[in-house]
Amino acid sequence: MTEPDETGGTTPHRRRSFLARRTGTDDFGIVLSLLVTAYVAYALSSALWVELIVLVLYLFTLGLAVRTSRPMPHQKRFVRIVLVVSAVVAAVALLALPQAAADGVLDAVVCVILMTALVVILDRILRRTAVTVQSLAGALSAYLIIGMFFASLFGVMDAVTDGPFFASGEEANARSFQYFSYTTLTTLGYGDYTAAMFPGRSIATFEALVGQVFLAVLVARLVAAFHGRSEAVLPEGTDE
């Protein structure tokens, strides 16, 4: 089967994949929905099966982010390598390591996946000249990813250091790390969870700085540009 190309000739019709048929360019709304689902899953439980489900969601999120961001060929190859290696390392850790060590490896795998997804999404947002609703969804997705990345990083630190991670002696698991990460990222600072050691405190402080800079620079710029674009398309003489 053929279809006309831009020169008037015909090119072979290629069957689109399942993901391509259901996502469009810069369709970051689905990415955001997957991340919110992962957040809710961790908020409800920190059981091992929940961690595995969230890991699968992260892998799918990365694949979808690549699909919707239209990266360069070398970026696609790198992401494929990250996906395959992450899946293999996670499987080996679950089968061959004690649960405590496996949790630390899974957190490290999640850090790599989330950082890759963050770079892919931000690269696409910054390359766009027009600000759309999908751009805002991509920025919100990136903000959620930052919180999830630091939550997993805290899990890695807990696995490789001796002693309790939290000064209050609270249980350190995926759910408490996520809570601590987002209260730090948003600078709420309730005080019920604080890092016991200076490495954890330093990373928490850095996360707070990253969160504030991200909101003040990127998100505020996108919202302002989107608002200005909306005003520009209003007919002359139209009141808001």
Side-chain angles (χ1 to χ4, degrees):
M1 201 173 167
T2 61
E3 58 184 8
D5 58 17
E6 296 178 355
T7 61
T10 58
T11 56
H13 177 73
R14 294 180 299 177
R15 296 186 61 185
R16 301 173 70 197
S17 67
F18 175 86
L19 190 59
R21 292 195 303 269
R22 283 155 178 78
T23 59
T25 302
D26 295 341
D27 194 359
F28 287 111
I30 301 177
V31 175
L32 182 60
S33 299
L34 289 173
L35 292 171
V36 171
T37 301
Y39 177 90
V40 172
Y42 264 156
L44 295 176
S45 175
S46 59
L48 179 60
W49 65 271
V50 174
E51 293 187 31
L52 295 178
I53 290 176
V54 172
L55 177 60
V56 172
L57 286 174
Y58 286 156
L59 290 170
F60 195 76
T61 298
L62 176 56
L64 183 57
V66 172
R67 167 68 66 177
T68 193
S69 298
R70 295 190 303 179
M72 302 297 289
H74 68 277
Q75 293 175 318
K76 288 184 179 180
R77 288 193 295 270
F78 176 76
V79 171
R80 290 193 188 103
I81 293 173
V82 170
L83 289 171
V84 172
V85 172
S86 297
V88 171
V89 170
V92 171
L94 290 172
L95 295 174
L97 297 178
Q99 183 173 351
D103 287 341
V105 173
L106 288 178
D107 284 326
V109 168
V110 168
C111 283
V112 174
I113 294 172
L114 292 177
M115 180 55 66
T116 305
L118 179 63
V119 171
V120 169
I121 292 173
L122 289 179
D123 176 68
R124 178 56 183 168
I125 293 174
L126 295 175
R127 281 191 289 113
R128 283 190 59 88
T129 56
V131 178
T132 64
V133 173
Q134 294 300 331
S135 300
L136 297 179
L140 292 176
S141 299
Y143 188 69
L144 285 179
I145 287 175
I146 292 173
M148 293 171 178
F149 168 81
F150 278 100
S152 297
L153 183 59
F154 292 139
V156 174
M157 296 179 66
D158 180 55
V160 300
T161 56
D162 297 327
F165 182 86
F166 294 116
S168 57
E170 296 285 348
E171 182 181 5
N173 53 39
R175 181 161 51 175
S176 59
F177 285 135
Q178 178 172 273
Y179 171 78
F180 176 63
S181 177
Y182 280 102
T183 55
T184 301
L185 183 68
T186 56
T187 64
L188 288 175
Y190 289 125
D192 48 353
Y193 282 82
T194 56
M197 294 177 287
F198 278 102
R201 295 173 183 174
S202 299
I203 296 299
T205 303
F206 181 70
E207 180 183 9
L209 291 173
V210 170
Q212 292 305 297
V213 170
F214 188 88
L215 290 177
V217 176
L218 180 60
V219 175
R221 172 179 172 271
L222 291 175
V223 171
F226 181 76
H227 180 66
R229 172 177 172 271
S230 300
E231 290 182 340
V233 300
L234 288 175
E236 293 185 5
T238 302
D239 294 330
E240 293 185 358

